[in-house]
Amino acid sequence: MRSKIEQKIVGAFLNELKRNNLNPIWAYDYLEYKVFVEYVDDFYRLSGEEQWEVRSILMAIQKTYK
């Protein structure tokens, strides 16, 4: 079963994929921007384990689609 963090990140990636005409590179870049630039304060408020989970999910998406 997927965690809530994983569900949110994968859902956001799929939404961006649709919005960017199925271009996974643009979708990933936008998602990475949102997490590490726009919502950086929220990211650092997460626990160390949750930050690791976010980074791991983003890395998996990057290795798969970029």
Side-chain angles (χ1 to χ4, degrees):
M1 188 167 150
R2 291 183 172 178
S3 70
K4 287 186 178 189
I5 291 174
E6 185 177 0
Q7 289 174 359
K8 283 186 172 188
I9 292 174
V10 171
F13 177 72
L14 294 175
N15 287 337
E16 285 305 313
L17 201 60
K18 290 176 193 173
R19 194 173 73 86
N20 288 303
N21 298 319
L22 301 178
N23 186 326
I25 294 171
W26 292 352
Y28 174 79
D29 288 344
Y30 184 74
L31 184 61
E32 187 178 47
Y33 167 81
K34 294 287 263 189
V35 170
F36 294 119
V37 176
E38 195 168 317
Y39 294 111
V40 70
D41 294 333
D42 294 331
F43 175 75
Y44 285 115
R45 277 191 222 117
L46 296 172
S47 70
E49 185 176 311
E50 290 170 329
Q51 288 180 22
W52 177 84
E53 185 177 2
V54 169
R55 287 186 178 113
S56 297
I57 295 165
L58 288 174
M59 189 183 315
I61 292 171
Q62 181 185 29
K63 287 182 177 185
T64 303
Y65 291 102
K66 200 165 179 186

